[in-house]
Amino acid sequence: MSETTYTVTGMTCEHCIASVTEEISEIDGVTAVAVDLPTGGVTVTSTTPIDQADVRNAVEEAGYRLAA
Amino acid sequence: MSETTYTVTGMTCEHCIASVTEEISEIDGVTAVAVDLPTGGVTVTSTTPIDQADVRNAVEEAGYRLAA
């Protein structure tokens, strides 16, 4: 099991959280996604470590940006 | 044809606009809904004047508030 927290910019409401969560959840191996709206923190739990590029693609697919 | 502009608070992104537009569009007689995100202005065009209570209900159904 692996857990990594990313920072996503541009999320402003519950709909934004839903979009980001949905896209990241589609990555193979992801078992949970938790978003903290005020900080933009997105914690991704997965069965094995996942590629940050995949997370970045998912976040951008949802219309947002990975901060780092 | 009737056109009235309301002010809706709490909308922060395109998803919010979509939710409010969808709910107001379901009111009988409404032919167009135009939202200006920075001001919260929502202009509702309808075949006949519609009850403000119906607009308020639609806005609250979407999860937002009518300012006046």
Side-chain angles (χ1 to χ4, degrees), chain A residues 38-55:
Chain A
T39 63
V42 178
T43 301
V44 181
T45 307
S46 52
T47 50
T48 55
I50 55 175
D51 196 331
Q52 181 174 321
D54 291 339
V55 176

Side-chain angles (χ1 to χ4, degrees), chain B residues 5-29:
Chain B
T5 300
Y6 305 86
T7 300
V8 173
T9 59
M11 296 185 295
T12 54
C13 74
E14 297 299 320
H15 299 119
C16 299
I17 293 177
S19 296
V20 168
T21 300
E22 187 181 332
E23 289 294 337
I24 295 178
S25 296
E26 286 176 6
I27 300 171
D28 270 356

Side-chain angles (χ1 to χ4, degrees), chain A residues 12-13 15-16 19 62 64, chain B residues 12-13 15-16 19 62 64:
Chain A
T12 54
C13 74
H15 300 118
C16 299
S19 297
Y64 304 90
Chain B
T12 54
C13 74
H15 299 119
C16 299
S19 296
Y64 305 90

Side-chain angles (χ1 to χ4, degrees), chain A residues 2 5-6 9 13 22 24-25 29 32-33 35 37 39 41 47-48 54 62 64:
Chain A
S2 172
T5 300
Y6 305 87
T9 59
C13 74
E22 187 180 334
I24 295 177
S25 295
V33 180
V35 178
L37 189 58
T39 63
T47 50
T48 55
D54 291 339
Y64 304 90

Side-chain angles (χ1 to χ4, degrees), chain B residues 10-59:
Chain B
M11 296 185 295
T12 54
C13 74
E14 297 299 320
H15 299 119
C16 299
I17 293 177
S19 296
V20 168
T21 300
E22 187 181 332
E23 289 294 337
I24 295 178
S25 296
E26 286 176 6
I27 300 171
D28 270 356
V30 169
T31 56
V33 180
V35 177
D36 181 60
L37 189 58
T39 62
V42 178
T43 301
V44 180
T45 307
S46 52
T47 50
T48 54
I50 55 173
D51 196 332
Q52 182 174 319
D54 291 340
V55 176
R56 183 181 304 277
N57 286 342
V59 166

